[in-house]
């Protein structure tokens, strides 16, 4: 079994090396697909230097730059550079096109989500029970106490999504989503920014996927620490929910 870990990154120079290390240390045969989404803070240069990318202007093709093993598990790394910032959804779209693993998981480039939760995410898929698994920040895992109104906004958006999809998710907006590769075949991601979350949820629901949720830990960061999503993205999420549940396949 091969795991494809897609890491969209935009101006994450302070955390990208730590996240890569944590993913490398997970006990799976895996490919790490890092999509630099037009970073201006040195993230792009760090990736080019660390992985010895010969042509950092090669976009948006995936360049295999590393093949090594840790603890008996193989790790391949692919780097994709976007020439300009296009948004998280666009970065994930590029990553999915390059992925060849049996399971595809999204991993943010900050330190809010911990790869130590991968076993819980992958277990329902490996056991043949689930097609898609969401990691819920609100189901009992360790989490940083933070931003009341951000929490309320997440719950409201999840509620609206559930009303249209007829699912009972507790955390639709979570980054941690793991998919059997075939569930994403034929799916075209159109949202360029944070609309990826409600769009893919609507499309997985329409496809009749077996969706599971598992509790995960969550170490939220402040806007001063680099958090990017805002209330405006929450408003857009509502329109995205309506769009992809009522008007798009």
């Amino acid at each position: 079994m091969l795991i494809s870990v897609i890491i969209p990154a935009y101006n994450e120079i302070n955390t990208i090396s730590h996240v890569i290390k944590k993913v490398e240390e997970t006990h799976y045969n895996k490919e790490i697909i890092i999509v630099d989404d037009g970073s201006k803070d040195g993230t792009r240069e760090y990736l080019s230097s660390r992985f010895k990318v010969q042509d950092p202007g090669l976009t948006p093709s995936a360049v295999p730059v590393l093949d090594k093993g840790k603890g008996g598990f193989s790790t391949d790394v692919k780097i994709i550079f976007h020439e300009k910032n296009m948004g998280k959804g666009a970065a994930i779209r590029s990553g999915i096109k390059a992925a060849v693993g049996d399971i595809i998981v999204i991993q943010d480039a900050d330190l809010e989500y911990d790869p130590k939760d991968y076993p819980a995410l992958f277990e329902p898929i490996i056991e043949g029970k689930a097609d898609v698994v969401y990691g819920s920040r609100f189901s009992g895992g360790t989490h940083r106490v933070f931003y009341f109104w951000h929490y309320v906004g997440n719950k409201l958006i999840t509620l609206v999504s559930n009303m249209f999809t007829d699912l009972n998710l507790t955390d639709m907006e979570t980054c941690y989503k793991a998919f059997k590769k075939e569930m994403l075949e034929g799916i075209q991601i159109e949202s360029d920014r944070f609309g990826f979350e409600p769009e893919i949820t609507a499309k997985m629901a329409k496809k009749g996927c077996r969706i599971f949720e598992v509790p995960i830990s969550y170490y939220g960061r402040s806007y001063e620490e680099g958090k990017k999503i805002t209330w405006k993205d929450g408003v857009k999420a509502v329109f995205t929910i309506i769009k992809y549940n009522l008007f798009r396949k």
Side-chain angles (χ1 to χ4, degrees):
M1 182 183 67
L2 179 68
I3 306 296
S4 293
V5 183
I6 298 174
I7 306 179
Y10 175 60
N11 289 346
E12 298 290 2
I13 189 60
N14 294 325
T15 58
I16 186 67
S17 63
H18 303 290
V19 170
I20 293 171
K21 183 175 185 294
K22 283 177 173 289
V23 175
E24 285 179 336
E25 291 174 347
T26 59
H27 295 175
Y28 298 96
N29 295 320
K30 57 193 169 293
E31 60 172 6
I32 305 173
I33 305 171
I34 307 167
V35 185
D36 179 79
D37 192 32
S39 294
K40 302 297 184 183
D41 69 339
T43 302
R44 180 187 184 100
E45 290 74 17
Y46 167 79
L47 293 171
S48 298
S49 174
R50 171 170 174 175
F51 297 110
K52 297 181 175 58
V53 177
Q54 299 301 313
D55 184 6
L58 189 59
T59 60
S61 301
V63 186
V65 293
L66 184 68
D67 183 6
K68 67 177 183 178
K70 283 194 173 184
F73 298 96
S74 66
T75 300
D76 295 323
V77 178
K78 298 175 181 176
I79 306 295
I80 300 173
F81 292 109
H82 286 175
E83 293 180 0
K84 62 180 181 180
N85 179 242
M86 299 169 62
K88 181 178 179 179
I92 293 172
R93 184 165 61 238
S94 293
I96 290 173
K97 289 180 181 178
V100 297
D102 305 291
I103 296 175
I104 297 174
V105 64
I106 312 301
Q107 169 72 56
D108 278 353
D110 52 38
L111 295 175
E112 291 190 332
Y113 295 83
D114 195 330
K116 73 179 183 182
D117 289 318
Y118 284 0
L121 280 170
F122 301 155
E123 183 178 355
I125 297 177
I126 293 171
E127 292 183 348
K129 298 176 181 177
D131 301 311
V132 182
V133 179
Y134 282 41
S136 174
R137 297 166 289 179
F138 309 129
S139 294
T142 302
H143 65 276
R144 181 179 179 181
V145 177
F146 221 18
Y147 288 146
F148 170 76
W149 289 112
H150 192 270
Y151 166 83
V152 171
N154 268 310
K155 296 301 261 183
L156 286 174
I157 293 169
T158 296
L159 174 63
V160 174
S161 176
N162 287 345
M163 290 169 63
F164 283 93
T165 60
D166 197 27
L167 299 174
N168 64 340
L169 293 169
T170 65
D171 190 9
M172 181 274 293
E173 289 279 0
T174 180
C175 159
Y176 266 177
K177 295 178 173 68
F179 308 86
K180 290 172 63 175
K181 187 177 189 298
E182 55 264 36
M183 294 301 105
L184 293 173
E185 292 174 355
I187 298 291
Q188 178 62 40
I189 303 302
E190 298 177 344
S191 300
D192 286 336
R193 284 183 52 79
F194 295 104
F196 167 79
E197 316 294 357
E199 178 186 347
I200 198 64
T201 301
K203 291 181 174 179
M204 292 297 101
K206 286 184 176 182
K207 199 167 185 176
C209 297
R210 297 171 299 166
I211 302 175
F212 274 50
E213 264 191 330
V214 297
I216 59 169
S217 52
Y218 180 65
Y219 308 95
R221 59 180 179 170
S222 68
Y223 289 102
E224 291 75 20
E225 293 169 317
K227 194 172 189 66
K228 298 178 177 67
I229 194 167
T230 69
W231 65 269
K232 294 180 181 179
D233 294 296
V235 173
K236 291 177 182 176
V238 174
F239 288 99
T240 303
I241 290 167
I242 296 171
K243 176 180 179 180
Y244 288 102
N245 280 281
L246 295 184
F247 302 111
R248 295 289 183 90
K249 294 182 178 180

